[in-house]
Amino acid sequence: MDRSLDTFIKEIAELLGTTLQMRGADIASLIERPQKANQGDYALPCFFLGKEQGRNPVEIARELADQLAPAGSIEKIAAAGPYLNFFVNRIAFVGRAIGAVIKTGATYGHSTVGAGQTLVLDYSSPNIAKPFGIGHLRSTVIGHAIKKLHDALGYKTIGINHLGDWGTQFGSMIVAYKKWSDKPAEELTVSELVALYVKFHAESEADPALQDAARAAFKKLEEGDPEHVALWERFKADSLKEFDRIYDMLGVHIDVASGESFFNDKMGGTIKRLKAAGLATESEGALIVDLEGHGMPPCLLLKSDGATLYATRDLAAAEYRYQTYKFDRMVYVHGQEQKLHFKQVFKVLELLDREWAHGLVHAEFGHYRFKDAKMSTRKGKTILLEEVLNKAIELAEKIVTEKNPDLEDKTNVCRAVGIGAIIFADLSNRRKRDVEFDWDRILSFEGETGPYLQYAHVRVCSIERKWGKPIGPDTNLELLTEEAEFQLAKKLADFPPTIRRAAEQYEPSLVSTYLLEVAREFSSYYEAHRVLNEAAPDLTAARLTLVAAVRQTLANGLRLLGIEPLSEM
RNA sequence: GCGCCCGUAGCUCAGCCGGAUAGAGCAACGGAUUUCUAAUCCGUAGGUCGCAGGUUCGAGUCCUGCCGGGCGUGCCA
């Protein structure tokens, strides 16, 4: 947890400093947050003192509790076994925590720790001429969230959609088209393209000659054969149109769309440099970088027919991007199956003495698993992302019609609820884990879901709408004396460190989990405490400020995840 | 074979630098709506944290081995 901003920890450290004869920062790093409310607000585990002094930590904690006098915002110091527990002045805590949210508003949780640093993100990266399946949701939404998290921390970020628009697969497409389709290329739909792709893989299993033909066709494409290039451009244009529609639905806009083909004329230079550095060697007819000394299989640069490979394109892309953006870090949001690939690419760049190679990160993620059959694009078994999104929107419509039939902005609300549900369902899983794909679960709107967060946000908006007046600046937050109000304020104060941790670890799920906790505590508070009370205007104003802080935190968090907060649903 | 990731309640998952009594949701059961949106809330029940060792004052968390699952392991991306 990030302690630098916590003024209470600072106070505790100062209190302890003289007695323990330690530096404040060292003490601060030892302070913990107890799990249970009755254990105090902060705690110092005394085991390390016991060890140092060869004494029982329980005794030490008791002694310290006797010696130390509460001061400032620290109201009570008590020993509980080997722990020294600190209780803060709740009024002070609530005031500071809520004040911080209200003061910073839409930038609550943001900071400038990343100022002056550039972060390049490579994410989404769907393959041209393949359907945009549910599998590509992960890279897209995780990458988008990681980008937003870093934006919030002051980094300059550049998102790159490294489209899979080059490689042997396009040889397959061209062969399949020529062999089985009699339609002019410009009339082909994406689903017909996919059908060709599937057919190619089915047939090529029985007839390996097809694969040779595909490789030859890609070689020709790479050499610039006009007929092949024209077909490829046709396939690509159709796919891009389809992708754009899906990105619009998701609300994701990636700064730069440069496919692998963009590096077609840049790979030669990379290979030249690798040869000059003595790294590229020939082996079994192919050009490789031998990585045996680094415990890895060789990195393949050129196939024996001279055509390029995935690694060749990533190497050229990395060099080009460094030249262009001078990034401090570049994060690849790609599946965990590519781990070795990136390890190899990073190592080769390191061997080429590219200092910046140390700033390269593979933020890998696990995949959707399917209960029954194994999904495979090649076999034509896939769940289309668009289908999932549309089902979610339909379901949202059904529920809205039932619960709030007079809603004005129904189309937009249903879209935001449905899409938000899908995005949140994905982002609530820890990045590295595989996730079970389950229609019931991904389309659930109850419990730990996107709609649950939306609902909590909507409820606050509804309270504010009903009140209808602005809250005065002289609100007396000292009236927020309920236990639940203190706990809620504590939870809100955790938002900034959560964002930092999520960005550091490239782990949006930390934000998801956190937001669920905020919404849960708020919902519980909402049931038990009425906000609007004409008979008690001061208390009403104080509670309105508290729930406004909750709304702001939820809204900021949802936006970081790429979900649009709603005021009605 | 070797390498990487994962294994926590019936199911799906949280669990921070190793710290106090391992937490949620779903499903099940029982309650709550004259009151700010019940897409909600409250309660009950549900655990040998895959197994076996080790390190430590202390292990779901670190180390070793094994078991189970996923992925990778030279001309796909």
Side-chain angles (χ1 to χ4, degrees), chain A residues 316-446:
Chain A
E319 290 204 299
Y320 172 82
R321 290 172 187 170
Y322 185 74
Q323 292 302 319
T324 310
Y325 303 112
K326 297 278 184 281
F327 55 76
D328 296 280
R329 264 182 291 159
M330 175 152 67
V331 180
Y332 293 88
V333 184
H334 287 254
Q336 52 101 356
E337 74 282 0
Q338 295 183 24
K339 192 151 186 174
L340 178 60
H341 162 74
F342 283 113
K343 244 177 100 177
Q344 290 177 318
V345 167
F346 298 171
K347 179 55 79 180
V348 169
L349 290 166
E350 201 186 305
L351 293 174
L352 248 190
D353 281 331
R354 300 292 187 260
E355 227 358 84
W356 46 267
H358 297 287
L360 300 174
V361 180
H362 177 208
E364 81 259 35
F365 56 83
H367 287 94
Y368 281 103
R369 281 192 322 254
F370 301 91
K371 266 180 196 151
D372 3 290
K374 193 174 148 90
M375 292 289 156
S376 154
T377 316
R378 294 187 176 191
K379 300 210 170 106
K381 283 185 188 170
T382 187
I383 293 178
L384 297 177
L385 177 55
E386 198 168 9
E387 185 191 350
V388 177
L389 296 176
N390 282 328
K391 278 199 176 169
I393 294 170
E394 269 170 44
L395 184 61
E397 275 166 359
K398 212 177 115 194
I399 296 174
V400 166
T401 307
E402 182 186 308
K403 303 205 184 246
N404 198 352
D406 306 326
L407 189 64
E408 273 182 27
D409 193 13
K410 196 167 153 182
T411 311
N412 186 47
V413 167
C414 295
R415 199 196 56 80
V417 170
I419 304 285
I422 302 301
I423 294 176
F424 188 82
D426 192 297
L427 291 181
S428 56
N429 293 289
R430 233 167 53 217
R431 178 161 56 73
K432 277 189 195 174
R433 286 178 71 132
D434 285 346
V435 286
E436 182 96 20
F437 183 86
D438 177 6
W439 279 108
D440 291 340
R441 188 171 173 240
I442 205 164
L443 291 179
S444 166
F445 287 6
E446 285 169 22

Side-chain angles (χ1 to χ4, degrees), chain A residues 42-328:
Chain A
Y42 298 92
L44 177 76
C46 298
F47 303 102
F48 76 103
L49 289 169
K51 200 165 203 175
E52 267 175 30
Q53 302 172 16
R55 295 173 53 208
N56 187 343
V58 177
E59 261 175 52
I60 296 173
R62 202 185 308 134
E63 265 180 35
L64 282 171
D66 289 341
Q67 283 171 29
L68 292 167
S73 307
I74 311 304
E75 280 198 328
K76 187 178 144 197
I77 302 169
Y83 291 88
L84 187 63
N85 291 336
F86 299 85
F87 296 77
V88 302
N89 180 299
R90 298 188 161 203
I91 300 287
F93 191 98
V94 169
R96 281 187 220 175
I98 295 174
V101 183
I102 299 299
K103 198 176 136 200
T104 48
T107 62
Y108 178 58
H110 294 209
S111 84
T112 54
V113 286
Q117 291 192 63
T118 300
L119 189 82
V120 170
L121 282 131
D122 179 318
Y123 63 106
S124 196
S125 316
N127 292 317
I128 303 290
K130 283 198 210 172
F132 204 113
I134 183 77
H136 277 98
L137 179 63
R138 300 226 74 199
S139 178
T140 307
V141 297
I142 293 171
H144 189 236
I146 293 175
K147 179 169 151 65
K148 293 220 145 203
L149 283 165
H150 284 86
D151 284 339
L153 297 181
Y155 289 85
K156 179 183 175 193
T157 64
I158 296 133
I160 298 180
N161 195 355
H162 192 54
L163 293 161
D165 66 354
W166 208 239
T168 309
Q169 53 179 322
F170 294 96
S172 319
M173 290 305 307
I174 290 165
V175 169
Y177 169 76
K178 286 179 147 182
K179 213 171 160 68
W180 298 308
S181 179
D182 43 14
K183 281 177 101 170
E186 51 276 10
E187 283 175 26
L188 276 179
T189 64
V190 172
S191 50
E192 283 166 334
L193 282 178
V194 172
L196 284 173
Y197 182 82
V198 171
K199 182 166 173 142
F200 180 89
H201 280 281
E203 302 266 331
S204 68
E205 265 175 34
D207 181 5
L210 278 172
Q211 287 170 23
D212 293 334
R215 281 190 277 268
F218 173 56
K219 187 81 199 321
K220 278 185 92 172
L221 174 62
E222 207 162 32
E223 286 161 358
D225 175 85
E227 190 202 356
H228 285 63
V229 169
L231 278 173
W232 170 78
E233 279 175 348
R234 192 67 243 161
F235 298 157
K236 183 172 171 177
D238 288 344
S239 295
L240 283 181
K241 241 167 66 189
E242 183 124 344
F243 294 166
D244 281 344
R245 195 175 65 239
I246 290 166
Y247 288 131
D248 277 346
M249 287 178 86
L250 286 172
V252 169
H253 299 283
I254 305 174
D255 302 322
V256 182
S258 77
E260 297 179 40
S261 61
F262 178 76
F263 301 99
N264 194 26
D265 61 355
K266 297 172 182 66
M267 289 183 279
T270 300
I271 288 169
K272 232 167 97 184
R273 286 185 286 279
L274 285 164
K275 279 183 174 163
L279 290 168
T281 55
E282 236 171 81
S283 161
E284 298 172 30
L287 190 70
I288 66 160
V289 178
D290 186 358
L291 295 174
E292 210 182 336
H294 303 278
M296 282 182 264
C299 177
L300 269 78
L301 301 170
L302 293 177
K303 299 194 269 193
S304 27
D305 68 0
T308 63
L309 284 151
Y310 188 37
T312 331
R313 298 190 275 280
D314 262 339
L315 288 166
E319 290 204 299
Y320 172 82
R321 290 172 187 170
Y322 185 74
Q323 292 302 319
T324 310
Y325 303 112
K326 297 278 184 281
F327 55 76
D328 296 280

Side-chain angles (χ1 to χ4, degrees), chain A residues 453-471:
Chain A
L453 298 179
Q454 294 279 24
Y455 189 65
H457 185 268
V458 159
R459 281 173 135 183
V460 177
C461 293
S462 183
I463 293 173
E464 293 175 329
R465 231 182 354 260
K466 181 156 186 189
W467 182 244
K469 294 168 257 186
I471 310 162

Side-chain angles (χ1 to χ4, degrees), chain A residues 1-3 6-13 16 28 30-45 70-80 83-94 96-97 481-491 493-494 521:
Chain A
M1 101 152 283
D2 176 22
R3 297 180 163 79
D6 193 322
T7 53
F8 293 95
I9 288 180
K10 213 174 275 175
E11 282 190 50
I12 292 170
L16 284 166
L30 294 165
I31 302 292
E32 293 177 359
R33 291 271 295 273
Q35 299 150 19
K36 308 280 179 206
N38 62 6
Q39 291 166 336
D41 305 311
Y42 298 92
L44 177 76
S73 307
I74 311 304
E75 280 198 328
K76 187 178 144 197
I77 302 169
Y83 291 88
L84 187 63
N85 291 336
F86 299 85
F87 296 77
V88 302
N89 180 299
R90 298 188 161 203
I91 300 287
F93 191 98
V94 169
R96 281 187 220 175
T481 53
E482 296 285 340
E483 172 72 19
E485 289 164 343
F486 175 59
Q487 297 306 333
L488 207 40
K490 260 181 148 178
K491 190 50 78 181
D494 284 342
E521 285 202 28

